[in-house]
Amino acid sequence: GNSVTQMEGPVTLSEEAFLTINCTYTATGYPSLFWYVQYPGEGLQLLLKATKADDKGSNKGFEATYRKETTSFHLEKGSVQVSDSAVYFCALSEGATNKLIFGTGTLLAVQP
Amino acid sequence: DTGVSQDPRHKITKRGQNVTFRCDPISEHNRLYWYRQTLGQGPEFLTYFQNEAQLEKSRLLSDRFSAERPKGSFSTLEIQRTEQGDSAMYLCASSSTGSGNQPQHFGDGTRLSIL
């Protein structure tokens, strides 16, 4: 079945460092891909999405490109802030219902 | 747009009791999803409604679980005879059926703790 694999956390960075969180997927067909973010005590918020190969999703300085050839959707940000500290989930949509298949999440801790 | 609302935020109950959670989706959204999230894991799909019809159920949804969306608006998720393994965060999400793959908007979840 379809699945998403994310790099293990936690990822600890200093403020203004470059961020990469790796995400690869296994899927039949061509799913849409998403990054969601979960701040402490809150629900998941959509960060960005891409619906087809070579699409780049971007929001709040974060970017991810849908790479069909490597089945990847890595999340990047050029300069992280303390306020970016959260858990990041990579996900794909599956089937006619568009239900989401999530990775296990990556905890990002940014230190001042 | 008031967002997806879930009630209660927290529920603590004894093993064997029944519990019911409520989800109010974004008003114009006709798609509604329930997910379960355990500590350190990503959310796992439980069930899906389009309007009032329940169109898909995960194998995770045992016979003790039932979900309804009677008028195609709010939804309830009931767990009967709760077990320790039911302790988790239960998340509700909604989306529209516009063109393309519309993103799901999540509520803050209901955290269930079984004593």
Side-chain angles (χ1 to χ4, degrees), chain A residues 61-79:
Chain A
F62 291 90
E63 293 183 339
T65 301
Y66 191 140
R67 301 283 187 204
K68 180 165 161 278
E69 62 277 8
T70 54
T71 61
S72 65
F73 193 54
H74 304 321
L75 183 68
E76 295 181 336
K77 187 175 186 183
S79 175

Side-chain angles (χ1 to χ4, degrees), chain B residues 12-113:
Chain B
I12 301 173
T13 192
K14 292 182 180 177
R15 185 168 52 93
Q17 298 295 303
N18 299 344
V19 294
T20 300
F21 312 140
R22 177 181 170 120
C23 171
D24 287 273
I26 293 171
S27 59
E28 63 269 25
H29 286 180
N30 55 355
R31 293 187 167 204
L32 187 146
Y33 306 79
W34 286 98
Y35 295 84
R36 182 171 66 190
Q37 184 179 19
T38 53
L39 200 61
Q41 300 298 315
E44 295 175 295
F45 170 77
L46 292 179
T47 191
Y48 163 73
F49 290 85
Q50 182 155 333
N51 301 310
E52 67 277 6
Q54 188 175 19
L55 297 184
E56 186 170 349
K57 293 196 291 186
S58 163
R59 276 173 273 182
L60 292 175
L61 214 64
S62 75
D63 291 346
R64 297 183 297 104
F65 287 70
S66 62
E68 294 183 341
R69 194 182 183 196
K71 296 182 181 177
S73 57
F74 73 92
S75 175
T76 58
L77 177 68
E78 181 183 14
I79 309 174
Q80 297 183 324
R81 305 181 304 282
T82 52
E83 301 174 355
Q84 292 280 351
D86 297 332
S87 294
M89 177 76 87
Y90 290 84
L91 297 169
C92 177
S94 69
S95 73
S96 63
T97 51
S99 61
N101 193 335
Q102 296 300 312
Q104 295 177 30
H105 298 261
F106 283 80
D108 287 342
T110 294
R111 181 170 296 285
L112 174 64
S113 298

